[in-house]
Amino acid sequence: MDQDIINNNKEWIDEVWRKLDKKLSAAAVRNRGIIPYTSNEGCYDNRGAANPAWWSNGFWGGMMWLMYTGTENEEYKKTALASEQIIDEGLKSFKLLDHDAGFLRHIVSGANYRITGDEAAYSKALYAAASLASRFNVDGGYIRAWNSEGSEGWSIIDCMMNLPLLYWASEEIGDPRFKRIAIRHADMVLRHHIRADGSVNHIVVHDTETGEVLSIKRGQGYSECSCWSRGLAWAIYGMTLSYKYTNNEEYLAAAVKTANYFAANAAAYDYKTPVDFRAPREPAYYDSSAGVCSACALLELTKYVSDAEAYVYTDAAVKVLKATDKYFCNYDPDWDSVVQMATERYPADGVMRWVHVHLIYADFFFAEAMNKLRGNKFCIW
Ligand code: GLY
């Protein structure tokens, strides 16, 4: 990170951190035993009870671990451990396991093991890695997305964020199998998901027998050739983390290319991230979760680039976080949820779902970014 930018913003960083910690420490105690996905009128829902294997259920516990490493407040740790017990329920059905094993386990059981050394958490993280690896299509070189009939040949950009679980597993057991699968998937993403201009394709459809790429499918976003901003965030962060674990310069180049696309386009929206960078500007639909995830990615990326590039990425990340703080945050300690104005789904066919709502992963990435700005060295990924 560029230290001058950090120093110039120290007062703001300290103030946001103080409000965030005050709010989240109250929420951690009040909501121990649930796992939120969204909130309604300042009350979290309980997605953990409704579906313990839901893809985003790791973000609540992961955020608790982040706050614990940033504060050493035991209340965060207790809530993180309680959330792990809930997602353990999801292990009981094989049908519920999917490509999001990393989102679900790496930042909960994996974080638990890395912080406390807990052996049961270690085993659960390795089981998750084994289950994720088992989804690899050897001919197509991709990790299969979802479980629904018809999605056997699909790879999605989101899955880049699940690869750190595989890299970690290989390091732990001293066997490259998991890492090789992650590398094959990331190489496929370089070829088929990341476009020449640095924007990304959400879904790529492969022939399940030959591996041939059959088509690009829209999934999320305004159109097949537009740029769903959260997908872009998954690409910037996923490629940066793949570089961290492999030192493959091609991944770093892809991280830089996607980061440059984000930085240039976010500036054109005053750093309030739209849900799609190539959708009509009006009506304006935002996705705060894409902004804060991209900010984390940019801050991580600063570790691996020149000082000049680190300045550009620190500057863009801080501007996104300041816009998030100013326009989208609620710091009332009695009101569940911090970052508002996230958008779950933005398809072109007019069926909008969960637009301008709270989503737990926006809070997670905001907390992660503020931890990074404060110099917390713990990398949860
Ligand atoms: N990985 C699911 C999403 O970003 O909506």
Side-chain angles (χ1 to χ4, degrees):
M1 284 183 288
D2 184 89
Q3 210 46 50
D4 286 343
I5 297 179
I6 302 301
N7 293 343
N8 292 339
N9 286 284
K10 189 170 179 330
E11 220 171 289
W12 170 76
I13 294 168
D14 288 347
E15 177 60 8
V16 169
W17 180 257
R18 191 190 60 72
K19 291 187 287 189
L20 193 62
D21 181 30
K22 186 169 179 200
K23 171 152 185 154
L24 289 179
S25 53
V29 175
R30 188 168 61 238
N31 294 292
R32 190 163 297 147
I34 69 158
I35 298 185
Y37 175 57
T38 185
S39 64
N40 186 18
E41 295 296 321
C43 288
Y44 282 139
D45 71 340
N46 187 357
R47 187 59 66 112
N51 179 0
W54 179 243
W55 79 275
S56 73
N57 279 354
F59 288 110
W60 172 245
M63 180 166 69
M64 294 294 124
W65 282 121
L66 282 170
M67 294 306 293
Y68 175 69
T69 59
T71 62
E72 297 188 358
N73 177 346
E74 292 288 324
E75 299 300 336
Y76 288 124
K77 182 176 169 184
K78 285 183 204 160
T79 304
L81 294 174
S83 87
E84 188 170 345
Q85 286 182 2
I86 298 167
I87 62 172
D88 286 354
E89 285 297 304
L91 292 174
K92 291 184 180 158
S93 165
F94 185 78
K95 285 192 209 150
L96 293 178
L97 303 177
D98 67 15
H99 62 284
D100 280 329
F103 277 129
L104 201 54
R105 281 289 168 191
H106 189 54
I107 56 176
V108 179
S109 305
N112 181 2
Y113 169 68
R114 281 173 279 145
I115 293 166
T116 70
D118 184 82
E119 278 299 321
Y122 174 79
S123 295
K124 284 181 274 184
L126 280 178
Y127 283 133
S131 136
L132 180 59
S134 76
R135 303 182 66 85
F136 184 67
N137 181 304
V138 289
D139 297 302
Y142 66 92
I143 293 171
R144 180 204 167 163
W146 297 304
N147 292 333
S148 50
E149 204 180 323
S151 65
E152 297 83 357
W154 293 8
S155 60
I156 58 173
I157 193 66
D158 322 30
C159 202
M160 282 305 297
M161 290 302 287
N162 291 307
L163 303 187
L165 173 67
L166 297 176
Y167 295 127
W168 167 83
S170 269
E171 282 180 2
E172 279 298 325
I173 63 171
D175 180 331
R177 278 176 297 148
F178 296 109
K179 181 177 177 178
R180 294 305 309 165
I181 286 173
I183 286 173
R184 290 278 309 280
H185 183 88
D187 288 348
M188 180 283 301
V189 168
L190 288 179
R191 285 196 305 279
H192 300 303
H193 282 269
I194 298 187
R195 302 177 188 140
D197 69 352
S199 62
V200 299
N201 295 318
H202 183 202
I203 302 177
V204 174
V205 182
H206 309 252
D207 183 303
T208 53
E209 302 287 339
T210 66
E212 182 195 352
V213 169
L214 301 176
S215 62
I216 304 299
K217 201 172 156 53
R218 176 172 48 80
Q220 289 255 34
Y222 181 70
S223 73
E224 272 85 357
C225 54
S226 67
C227 186
W228 174 48
S229 58
R230 194 160 66 247
L232 181 68
W234 299 143
I236 310 167
Y237 211 175
M239 278 295 163
T240 304
L241 292 166
S242 278
Y243 177 71
K244 168 183 145 85
Y245 280 104
T246 64
N247 288 322
N248 180 339
E249 294 288 334
E250 281 188 281
Y251 301 157
L252 182 61
V256 164
K257 186 160 86 169
T258 49
N260 289 345
Y261 184 97
F262 176 83
N265 285 281
Y269 285 86
D270 293 332
Y271 299 96
K272 289 186 275 179
T273 308
V275 69
D276 191 312
F277 284 117
R278 290 293 177 269
R281 288 184 80 95
E282 296 293 336
Y285 293 119
Y286 299 105
D287 181 10
S288 56
S289 74
V292 288
C293 177
S294 298
C296 286
L298 297 180
L299 294 175
E300 184 68 26
L301 184 55
T302 61
K303 295 181 188 165
Y304 313 112
V305 294
S306 67
D307 288 352
E309 288 167 302
Y311 181 92
V312 172
Y313 300 140
T314 308
D315 179 64
V318 167
K319 283 178 174 155
V320 168
L321 295 167
K322 283 188 142 177
T324 304
D325 167 45
K326 184 169 175 188
Y327 298 108
F328 300 150
C329 281
N330 178 320
Y331 296 106
D332 179 351
D334 298 323
W335 176 278
D336 291 332
S337 77
V338 182
V339 181
Q340 316 300 310
M341 299 290 277
T343 294
E344 189 207 60
R345 188 163 295 272
Y346 180 55
D349 54 14
V351 185
M352 310 286 291
R353 205 169 79 184
W354 298 71
V355 180
H356 294 171
V357 294
H358 166 255
L359 293 168
I360 192 63
Y361 37 96
D363 287 1
F364 170 94
F365 286 111
F366 189 62
E368 186 187 351
M370 295 314 299
N371 259 293
K372 283 181 186 293
L373 290 183
R374 292 186 76 249
N376 184 344
K377 296 279 180 282
F378 175 69
C379 179
I380 198 160
W381 299 101

